[in-house]
Coordinates of all heavy atoms in Angstrom, one line a residue:
M1 N 98.7 109.4 109.3 CA 98.6 110.1 110.5 C 98.6 109.4 111.8 O 98.4 108.2 111.7 CB 97.4 111.2 110.3 CG 96.1 110.6 110.3 SD 94.8 111.8 109.6 CE 95.2 113.3 110.7
Q2 N 98.8 110.1 112.8 CA 98.8 109.4 114.1 C 97.8 109.9 115.1 O 97.4 111.1 115.1 CB 100.2 109.5 114.8 CG 101.3 108.9 114.0 CD 102.6 109.2 114.5 OE1 102.9 110.1 115.2 NE2 103.5 108.2 114.3
T3 N 97.2 109.0 115.9 CA 96.4 109.4 117.0 C 96.9 108.8 118.3 O 97.5 107.8 118.2 CB 94.9 109.1 116.7 OG1 94.1 109.7 117.8 CG2 94.7 107.7 116.8
I4 N 96.7 109.4 119.3 CA 97.2 109.0 120.7 C 96.1 108.2 121.5 O 95.1 108.7 121.6 CB 97.7 110.1 121.5 CG1 98.8 110.9 120.8 CG2 98.3 109.6 122.9 CD1 100.1 110.1 120.5
V5 N 96.4 107.0 121.8 CA 95.6 106.2 122.6 C 95.8 106.4 124.1 O 97.0 106.1 124.5 CB 95.6 104.7 122.3 CG1 94.6 103.9 123.0 CG2 95.3 104.6 120.9
K6 N 94.8 106.8 124.8 CA 95.0 106.9 126.3 C 95.2 105.6 126.9 O 94.2 104.8 126.7 CB 93.8 107.7 127.0 CG 94.0 109.2 126.6 CD 94.6 110.0 127.8 CE 94.5 111.5 127.6 NZ 95.6 111.9 126.7
T7 N 96.1 105.4 127.6 CA 96.3 104.1 128.4 C 97.1 104.3 129.7 O 97.9 105.2 129.7 CB 97.1 103.1 127.6 OG1 97.3 102.0 128.4 CG2 98.5 103.5 127.0
S8 N 96.7 103.5 130.7 CA 97.4 103.7 132.0 C 98.5 102.7 132.1 O 99.2 102.6 133.1 CB 96.5 103.6 133.2 OG 95.7 102.3 133.0
L9 N 98.7 102.0 131.0 CA 99.8 101.0 131.0 C 101.1 101.5 130.8 O 101.4 102.5 130.3 CB 99.4 100.0 129.8 CG 98.2 99.1 129.6 CD1 98.1 98.4 128.5 CD2 98.0 98.3 131.0
T10 N 102.1 100.7 131.4 CA 103.5 101.0 131.2 C 103.8 100.4 129.9 O 103.1 99.5 129.4 CB 104.3 100.4 132.3 OG1 104.2 99.0 132.3 CG2 103.9 101.0 133.7
P11 N 105.0 100.8 129.3 CA 105.4 100.0 128.1 C 105.5 98.5 128.3 O 105.1 97.7 127.4 CB 106.7 100.7 127.8 CG 106.6 102.1 128.3 CD 105.8 101.9 129.6
E12 N 106.1 98.1 129.4 CA 106.2 96.8 129.7 C 104.8 96.0 129.8 O 104.8 94.9 129.3 CB 106.9 96.6 131.0 CG 108.5 96.9 131.0 CD 108.7 98.4 131.2 OE1 107.7 99.1 131.4 OE2 109.9 98.8 131.1
Q13 N 103.9 96.7 130.3 CA 102.6 96.0 130.4 C 102.0 95.9 129.0 O 101.3 95.0 128.7 CB 101.7 96.8 131.4 CG 102.1 96.6 132.8 CD 101.3 97.6 133.7 OE1 101.0 98.7 133.4 NE2 101.1 97.2 135.0
Y14 N 102.1 96.9 128.2 CA 101.6 97.0 126.9 C 102.1 95.8 126.1 O 101.4 95.0 125.4 CB 101.9 98.4 126.2 CG 101.6 98.5 124.8 CD1 100.5 99.3 124.5 CD2 102.4 98.0 123.7 CE1 100.1 99.5 123.2 CE2 102.0 98.2 122.4 CZ 100.9 99.0 122.0 OH 100.5 99.2 120.9
V15 N 103.4 95.5 126.3 CA 104.0 94.4 125.6 C 103.5 93.0 126.2 O 103.1 92.1 125.5 CB 105.6 94.5 125.7 CG1 106.2 93.2 125.2 CG2 106.0 95.6 125.0
E16 N 103.5 92.9 127.5 CA 103.1 91.7 128.1 C 101.8 91.3 127.8 O 101.4 90.1 127.7 CB 103.2 91.8 129.7 CG 104.7 91.8 130.2 CD 104.8 92.3 131.7 OE1 103.8 92.4 132.3 OE2 105.9 92.4 132.1
Q17 N 100.9 92.3 127.7 CA 99.4 92.1 127.5 C 99.0 91.9 126.0 O 97.8 91.8 125.8 CB 98.5 93.1 128.2 CG 98.8 93.1 129.8 CD 98.0 94.2 130.4 OE1 97.1 94.7 129.9 NE2 98.4 94.5 131.7
D18 N 100.0 92.0 125.2 CA 99.7 92.1 123.8 C 98.5 93.1 123.5 O 97.6 92.9 122.8 CB 99.2 90.8 123.3 CG 100.3 89.8 122.9 OD1 101.5 90.3 122.7 OD2 100.0 88.6 123.0
Y19 N 98.7 94.3 124.1 CA 97.7 95.3 124.1 C 97.4 95.8 122.7 O 96.3 96.3 122.4 CB 98.1 96.5 125.0 CG 97.0 97.4 125.3 CD1 95.9 97.1 126.1 CD2 96.8 98.7 124.5 CE1 94.9 98.0 126.3 CE2 95.8 99.5 124.8 CZ 94.8 99.2 125.6 OH 93.7 100.1 125.8
H20 N 98.3 95.7 121.8 CA 98.1 96.2 120.5 C 97.1 95.5 119.8 O 96.4 96.1 118.9 CB 99.6 96.1 119.7 CG 99.9 94.8 119.5 ND1 100.7 94.1 120.6 CD2 99.8 93.8 118.5 CE1 101.0 92.9 120.0 NE2 100.5 92.7 119.0
K21 N 96.8 94.3 120.3 CA 95.6 93.5 119.7 C 94.3 94.0 120.1 O 93.3 93.7 119.6 CB 95.8 92.0 119.9 CG 97.1 91.5 119.3 CD 97.2 90.0 119.7 CE 98.5 89.4 119.0 NZ 98.9 88.1 119.6
Q22 N 94.4 94.8 121.2 CA 93.1 95.2 121.7 C 92.7 96.6 121.5 O 91.6 97.2 121.8 CB 93.1 95.1 123.3 CG 93.5 93.8 123.8 CD 93.8 93.7 125.3 OE1 93.3 94.4 126.1 NE2 95.0 92.9 125.6
V23 N 93.5 97.3 120.7 CA 93.3 98.7 120.5 C 92.2 98.8 119.5 O 92.1 98.2 118.4 CB 94.6 99.3 119.7 CG1 94.2 100.8 119.3 CG2 95.7 99.3 120.7
K24 N 91.1 99.7 119.9 CA 90.0 99.9 119.1 C 90.2 101.0 118.2 O 90.9 101.9 118.5 CB 88.8 100.2 120.0 CG 88.4 99.0 121.0 CD 87.8 97.9 120.3 CE 87.3 96.8 121.3 NZ 88.3 96.1 121.9
P25 N 89.5 101.0 117.0 CA 89.6 102.1 116.0 C 89.0 103.3 116.6 O 88.1 103.2 117.3 CB 89.0 101.7 114.8 CG 88.1 100.5 115.2 CD 88.7 99.9 116.4
P26 N 89.6 104.5 116.4 CA 88.9 105.7 116.8 C 87.4 105.8 116.2 O 87.2 105.2 115.2 CB 89.8 106.9 116.2 CG 91.1 106.2 116.0 CD 90.7 104.8 115.6
E27 N 86.6 106.4 117.0 CA 85.2 106.4 116.5 C 85.0 107.2 115.1 O 84.3 106.8 114.2 CB 84.4 107.3 117.6 CG 82.9 107.4 117.4 CD 82.2 106.1 118.0 OE1 82.9 105.1 118.3 OE2 81.0 106.1 118.2
N28 N 85.8 108.2 115.0 CA 85.8 109.2 113.8 C 87.1 109.1 113.2 O 88.2 109.2 113.9 CB 85.3 110.5 114.1 CG 84.0 110.6 114.6 OD1 83.6 110.5 115.8 ND2 83.0 110.8 113.7
C29 N 87.2 109.1 111.9 CA 88.6 109.2 111.1 C 89.0 110.7 111.6 O 88.4 111.7 111.4 CB 88.2 109.2 109.7 SG 89.7 109.6 108.8
P30 N 90.3 110.7 112.1 CA 90.9 112.0 112.3 C 91.2 112.8 111.0 O 91.5 114.0 111.3 CB 92.2 111.6 113.1 CG 92.4 110.2 112.8 CD 91.2 109.6 112.3
N31 N 91.1 112.2 110.0 CA 91.4 113.0 108.7 C 90.2 113.6 108.2 O 90.0 114.8 108.0 CB 92.1 112.1 107.7 CG 92.5 113.0 106.5 OD1 93.3 114.0 106.6 ND2 92.2 112.5 105.3
C32 N 89.2 112.7 107.9 CA 88.0 113.3 107.2 C 86.8 113.4 108.1 O 85.7 113.9 107.7 CB 87.5 112.3 106.0 SG 87.0 110.6 106.5
G33 N 86.9 112.7 109.4 CA 85.9 113.0 110.3 C 84.7 112.0 110.2 O 83.7 112.1 111.1
R34 N 84.6 111.1 109.2 CA 83.6 110.3 109.1 C 83.6 109.2 110.3 O 84.6 108.7 110.7 CB 83.8 109.4 107.8 CG 83.7 110.4 106.6 CD 82.3 110.0 105.8 NE 82.5 110.4 104.4 CZ 81.7 109.9 103.5 NH1 80.8 109.0 103.7 NH2 81.8 110.3 102.3
A35 N 82.4 108.9 110.6 CA 82.3 107.9 111.8 C 82.3 106.5 111.4 O 81.8 106.2 110.2 CB 80.9 108.2 112.6
H36 N 82.9 105.6 112.2 CA 82.9 104.3 111.8 C 83.4 103.9 110.5 O 82.9 103.0 109.8 CB 81.5 103.6 112.0 CG 80.8 104.0 113.4 ND1 81.3 103.7 114.6 CD2 79.8 104.8 113.6 CE1 80.6 104.1 115.6 NE2 79.6 104.9 114.9
S37 N 84.4 104.5 110.1 CA 85.0 104.3 108.8 C 86.4 103.5 108.8 O 86.8 103.3 107.8 CB 85.1 105.7 108.0 OG 86.1 106.5 108.6
L38 N 86.8 103.4 110.0 CA 88.1 102.8 110.1 C 88.2 101.3 110.1 O 87.4 100.7 111.0 CB 88.9 103.4 111.3 CG 89.1 104.9 111.2 CD1 89.5 105.5 112.5 CD2 90.3 105.2 110.1
E39 N 88.9 100.7 109.3 CA 89.1 99.3 109.3 C 90.5 98.9 109.7 O 91.5 99.6 109.4 CB 88.7 98.7 108.0 CG 89.6 99.1 106.9 CD 89.0 98.6 105.5 OE1 87.7 98.5 105.3 OE2 89.8 98.3 104.7
A40 N 90.7 97.7 110.3 CA 92.0 97.3 110.7 C 92.9 97.2 109.5 O 92.4 96.7 108.4 CB 91.9 95.9 111.5
L41 N 94.0 97.6 109.6 CA 95.0 97.5 108.6 C 96.2 96.6 108.8 O 96.4 95.6 108.2 CB 95.5 99.0 108.2 CG 96.5 99.0 107.1 CD1 96.0 98.6 105.8 CD2 96.9 100.5 106.9
A42 N 97.0 96.9 109.8 CA 98.2 96.1 110.1 C 98.8 96.7 111.4 O 98.1 97.4 112.1 CB 99.2 96.3 109.0
Y43 N 100.0 96.2 111.6 CA 100.7 96.7 112.7 C 102.0 97.1 112.2 O 102.5 96.7 111.2 CB 100.9 95.6 113.8 CG 99.7 95.0 114.3 CD1 99.2 93.7 113.9 CD2 99.0 95.6 115.4 CE1 98.1 93.2 114.4 CE2 97.8 94.9 115.9 CZ 97.4 93.8 115.4 OH 96.3 93.2 115.9
Y44 N 102.7 97.9 113.0 CA 104.2 98.1 112.8 C 104.9 98.2 114.0 O 104.4 98.5 115.1 CB 104.4 99.4 111.8 CG 104.2 100.7 112.6 CD1 105.2 101.4 113.2 CD2 102.9 101.4 112.3 CE1 104.9 102.6 113.8 CE2 102.7 102.7 112.9 CZ 103.6 103.2 113.6 OH 103.4 104.5 114.2
E45 N 106.1 98.1 113.9 CA 107.0 98.1 115.1 C 107.6 99.4 115.4 O 108.1 100.1 114.4 CB 108.2 97.0 115.0 CG 107.6 95.6 115.0 CD 108.8 94.6 114.8 OE1 109.3 94.7 113.7 OE2 109.0 93.9 115.7
R46 N 107.8 99.8 116.6 CA 108.5 101.0 116.9 C 109.1 100.8 118.3 O 108.7 100.0 119.1 CB 107.8 102.3 116.8 CG 106.8 102.5 117.9 CD 106.2 103.8 117.8 NE 107.2 104.8 118.1 CZ 107.1 106.2 117.9 NH1 106.1 106.6 117.0 NH2 107.9 107.0 118.3
Y47 N 110.3 101.5 118.4 CA 110.9 101.4 119.7 C 110.4 102.5 120.7 O 110.0 103.7 120.2 CB 112.4 101.6 119.6 CG 113.1 100.6 118.9 CD1 113.5 100.5 117.6 CD2 113.5 99.5 119.8 CE1 114.1 99.4 117.1 CE2 114.1 98.3 119.3 CZ 114.4 98.4 117.9 OH 115.1 97.3 117.4
V48 N 110.2 102.2 121.9 CA 109.9 103.2 123.0 C 110.8 103.1 124.1 O 111.3 102.1 124.3 CB 108.3 103.0 123.4 CG1 107.3 103.2 122.4 CG2 108.2 101.7 124.0
T49 N 111.0 104.2 124.7 CA 111.9 104.2 125.9 C 111.1 104.3 127.1 O 110.3 105.1 127.4 CB 112.9 105.5 125.8 OG1 113.6 105.5 124.5 CG2 113.9 105.3 126.9
S50 N 111.2 103.3 128.0 CA 110.6 103.3 129.3 C 111.7 103.6 130.3 O 112.9 103.8 130.0 CB 109.9 101.9 129.6 OG 110.9 101.0 130.0
V51 N 111.2 103.7 131.5 CA 112.2 103.9 132.6 C 113.3 102.8 132.7 O 114.4 103.0 133.2 CB 111.5 104.3 134.0 CG1 110.8 105.5 134.0 CG2 110.5 103.1 134.3
L52 N 112.7 101.7 132.2 CA 113.7 100.5 132.6 C 114.6 100.1 131.3 O 115.7 99.6 131.4 CB 112.8 99.2 132.8 CG 112.1 99.5 134.1 CD1 111.2 98.1 134.3 CD2 113.0 99.6 135.3
A53 N 114.0 100.3 130.2 CA 114.6 99.8 128.9 C 114.1 100.4 127.7 O 113.1 101.1 127.8 CB 114.5 98.4 128.9
V54 N 114.7 100.1 126.5 CA 114.2 100.4 125.2 C 113.4 99.2 124.8 O 114.0 98.1 124.8 CB 115.3 100.8 124.3 CG1 114.6 101.1 122.9 CG2 116.0 102.1 124.7
L55 N 112.2 99.4 124.5 CA 111.3 98.2 124.1 C 110.8 98.4 122.8 O 110.6 99.5 122.2 CB 110.1 98.2 125.1 CG 110.3 97.8 126.5 CD1 109.0 98.1 127.3 CD2 110.8 96.4 126.6
L56 N 110.6 97.2 122.0 CA 110.1 97.2 120.7 C 108.6 96.9 120.9 O 108.3 95.8 121.5 CB 110.8 96.2 119.8 CG 110.5 96.2 118.3 CD1 110.7 97.5 117.7 CD2 111.1 95.1 117.7
I57 N 107.7 97.8 120.5 CA 106.3 97.5 120.5 C 105.7 97.4 119.3 O 106.2 98.0 118.2 CB 105.5 98.6 121.5 CG1 105.6 99.9 120.8 CG2 106.2 98.7 122.8 CD1 104.6 100.9 121.3
W58 N 104.5 96.8 119.3 CA 103.7 96.8 118.0 C 102.6 97.9 118.1 O 101.9 98.1 119.1 CB 102.9 95.5 117.8 CG 103.8 94.5 117.4 CD1 104.4 93.4 118.3 CD2 104.4 94.1 116.2 NE1 105.2 92.6 117.6 CE2 105.2 93.0 116.4 CE3 104.3 94.7 114.9 CZ2 105.8 92.4 115.3 CZ3 104.8 94.1 113.8 CH2 105.7 93.0 114.0
V59 N 102.4 98.7 117.0 CA 101.6 99.8 117.0 C 100.4 99.3 116.0 O 100.6 99.0 114.9 CB 102.2 101.1 116.5 CG1 101.1 102.2 116.3 CG2 103.2 101.5 117.5
R60 N 99.1 99.6 116.5 CA 97.9 99.3 115.6 C 97.7 100.4 114.6 O 97.8 101.5 114.9 CB 96.8 99.2 116.5 CG 95.5 98.4 115.8 CD 95.8 97.0 115.8 NE 94.7 96.2 115.4 CZ 94.5 95.7 114.1 NH1 95.5 96.0 113.3 NH2 93.6 94.9 113.9
R61 N 97.4 99.9 113.4 CA 97.1 100.9 112.3 C 95.7 100.6 111.8 O 95.3 99.5 111.7 CB 98.1 100.7 111.2 CG 99.4 101.3 111.5 CD 100.4 101.1 110.3 NE 100.1 102.1 109.3 CZ 100.4 102.0 108.0 NH1 100.8 100.6 107.6 NH2 100.2 102.8 107.2
F62 N 95.0 101.5 111.3 CA 93.7 101.4 110.8 C 93.6 102.2 109.5 O 94.5 103.1 109.2 CB 92.6 101.9 111.7 CG 92.5 101.2 113.0 CD1 93.0 101.7 114.0 CD2 91.7 100.1 113.1 CE1 93.0 101.0 115.3 CE2 91.8 99.2 114.3 CZ 92.3 99.8 115.5
L63 N 92.9 101.9 108.5 CA 92.6 102.6 107.3 C 91.2 103.0 107.2 O 90.2 102.2 107.4 CB 92.9 101.4 106.2 CG 92.9 102.1 104.8 CD1 94.1 103.1 104.5 CD2 92.9 101.1 103.8
C64 N 91.1 104.3 106.8 CA 89.9 104.9 106.6 C 89.3 104.5 105.2 O 89.9 104.7 104.2 CB 89.8 106.4 106.7 SG 88.3 107.1 106.4
R65 N 88.1 103.9 105.3 CA 87.5 103.5 104.0 C 87.1 104.5 103.1 O 86.9 104.4 101.9 CB 86.2 102.7 104.3 CG 86.5 101.2 104.8 CD 85.2 100.4 104.9 NE 84.4 100.8 105.9 CZ 84.3 100.3 107.1 NH1 85.1 99.4 107.4 NH2 83.5 100.7 108.1
H66 N 86.9 105.7 103.7 CA 86.5 106.9 102.8 C 87.6 107.7 102.2 O 87.6 107.8 101.0 CB 85.6 107.8 103.7 CG 84.2 107.2 104.1 ND1 83.3 107.0 103.1 CD2 83.9 106.6 105.2 CE1 82.2 106.3 103.7 NE2 82.5 106.1 105.0
C67 N 88.6 108.1 103.0 CA 89.6 109.0 102.5 C 90.9 108.2 102.3 O 92.0 108.7 101.8 CB 89.9 110.1 103.5 SG 90.4 109.7 105.1
R68 N 90.9 107.0 102.8 CA 92.1 106.0 102.4 C 93.4 106.5 103.2 O 94.5 106.2 102.9 CB 92.4 105.9 101.0 CG 91.2 105.6 100.1 CD 90.4 104.3 100.5 NE 91.2 103.1 100.3 CZ 90.7 101.8 100.7 NH1 89.7 101.8 101.3 NH2 91.5 100.8 100.6
V69 N 93.2 107.3 104.3 CA 94.3 107.6 105.1 C 94.5 106.6 106.2 O 93.5 106.0 106.7 CB 94.0 109.0 105.8 CG1 94.9 109.2 106.9 CG2 94.3 110.1 104.6
S70 N 95.7 106.1 106.4 CA 95.9 105.2 107.5 C 96.2 106.0 108.8 O 96.8 107.1 108.8 CB 97.2 104.2 107.2 OG 98.4 105.0 107.2
V71 N 95.7 105.4 109.9 CA 95.8 106.1 111.2 C 96.5 105.1 112.1 O 96.1 104.0 112.3 CB 94.4 106.3 111.7 CG1 94.4 106.9 113.0 CG2 93.6 107.2 110.7
S72 N 97.6 105.5 112.7 CA 98.3 104.7 113.6 C 97.9 105.1 115.0 O 97.8 106.4 115.4 CB 99.8 105.0 113.5 OG 100.2 104.7 112.2
C73 N 97.6 104.1 115.8 CA 97.1 104.3 117.2 C 98.3 104.1 118.2 O 98.5 103.0 118.7 CB 95.9 103.5 117.5 SG 94.4 103.9 116.6
L74 N 99.0 105.2 118.6 CA 100.1 105.1 119.4 C 99.7 105.2 120.9 O 98.8 106.0 121.3 CB 101.1 106.4 119.2 CG 101.9 106.3 118.0 CD1 102.8 107.6 118.0 CD2 102.8 105.2 118.1
P75 N 100.2 104.4 121.7 CA 99.9 104.5 123.1 C 100.5 105.8 123.6 O 101.5 106.3 123.1 CB 100.5 103.2 123.8 CG 101.5 102.8 122.8 CD 101.0 103.2 121.4
D76 N 99.9 106.3 124.6 CA 100.3 107.8 125.1 C 101.7 107.8 125.5 O 102.3 108.9 125.6 CB 99.4 108.4 126.0 CG 98.9 107.6 127.1 OD1 99.5 106.6 127.3 OD2 98.0 108.1 127.8
F77 N 102.2 106.6 126.1 CA 103.6 106.6 126.5 C 104.5 106.7 125.3 O 105.8 106.8 125.5 CB 103.9 105.4 127.4 CG 103.7 104.1 126.8 CD1 104.5 103.6 125.8 CD2 102.6 103.3 127.2 CE1 104.3 102.4 125.2 CE2 102.4 102.1 126.6 CZ 103.2 101.6 125.6
A78 N 104.1 106.6 124.1 CA 105.1 106.6 122.8 C 104.7 107.9 122.1 O 104.5 107.8 120.9 CB 104.8 105.4 122.1
Q79 N 104.5 108.9 122.8 CA 104.2 110.3 122.1 C 105.3 110.5 121.1 O 106.4 110.2 121.2 CB 104.3 111.4 123.1 CG 103.4 111.4 124.3 CD 102.1 112.0 123.8 OE1 101.9 112.7 122.8 NE2 101.1 111.9 124.8
P80 N 104.7 110.9 119.9 CA 105.8 111.0 118.8 C 107.0 112.0 119.2 O 106.7 113.1 119.6 CB 105.0 111.6 117.7 CG 103.6 111.4 118.0 CD 103.5 111.2 119.5
Y81 N 108.1 111.5 118.9 CA 109.2 112.4 119.3 C 109.9 112.9 118.0 O 110.7 113.6 118.0 CB 110.3 111.6 120.1 CG 110.7 110.3 119.6 CD1 111.7 110.2 118.7 CD2 109.9 109.2 119.8 CE1 112.0 109.0 118.3 CE2 110.3 107.9 119.3 CZ 111.3 107.8 118.5 OH 111.8 106.5 118.0
R82 N 109.5 112.3 116.9 CA 109.9 112.8 115.6 C 108.8 112.6 114.5 O 107.9 111.8 114.8 CB 111.0 111.8 115.2 CG 112.4 112.3 115.6 CD 113.4 111.5 114.9 NE 114.5 111.1 115.9 CZ 115.2 110.0 115.8 NH1 115.0 109.1 114.8 NH2 116.1 109.7 116.6
A83 N 108.9 113.4 113.6 CA 107.9 113.2 112.5 C 108.4 112.5 111.2 O 108.1 112.7 110.2 CB 107.4 114.6 112.1
D84 N 109.3 111.5 111.6 CA 109.9 110.8 110.4 C 109.3 109.4 110.1 O 110.0 108.6 109.6 CB 111.3 110.7 110.6 CG 111.7 109.9 111.8 OD1 110.8 109.4 112.6 OD2 112.9 109.7 112.1
H85 N 108.1 109.2 110.5 CA 107.5 107.8 110.4 C 106.5 107.9 109.1 O 105.8 106.9 109.0 CB 106.7 107.4 111.6 CG 107.7 107.1 112.7 ND1 108.2 105.8 112.8 CD2 108.2 107.9 113.7 CE1 109.1 105.9 113.8 NE2 109.0 107.1 114.4
A86 N 106.7 108.8 108.3 CA 105.8 108.9 107.1 C 106.1 107.6 106.2 O 105.2 107.3 105.4 CB 106.1 110.1 106.2
A87 N 107.2 107.0 106.3 CA 107.5 105.9 105.5 C 106.5 104.6 105.8 O 106.3 103.8 105.0 CB 108.9 105.3 105.7
F88 N 105.8 104.8 106.9 CA 104.9 103.7 107.3 C 103.6 104.0 106.9 O 102.7 103.1 107.0 CB 104.9 103.6 108.9 CG 106.2 103.0 109.5 CD1 107.0 103.9 110.2 CD2 106.5 101.8 109.3 CE1 108.1 103.4 110.8 CE2 107.7 101.3 109.8 CZ 108.5 102.0 110.5
R89 N 103.3 105.0 106.3 CA 101.9 105.4 105.9 C 101.4 104.5 104.7 O 102.3 104.2 103.8 CB 101.8 106.8 105.4 CG 101.8 107.6 106.8 CD 101.6 109.2 106.4 NE 101.7 109.9 107.6 CZ 101.4 111.2 107.8 NH1 100.9 111.8 106.7 NH2 101.5 111.8 108.8
Ligands
ZN101 ZN1 88.8 109.4 106.7

């Protein structure tokens, strides 16, 4: 599943600052609601379209220790435009 991370960064800044490495896990699992249950899992790449270009960014993923659901933390400029990313779960 996916959650949106609020950021004031542009896609370019997100890439320049390696912001994906700074993304903190959500306080509660968006699936089972348990607090402090998310552990770092991995990253995956996805394309985002900015006003200037199409950029490839890294998206942080976490795994819930309780329900074993993976949670992708998308920056808010990369609002899901399709629901076809199930392959990354
Ligand atoms: Zn959970």
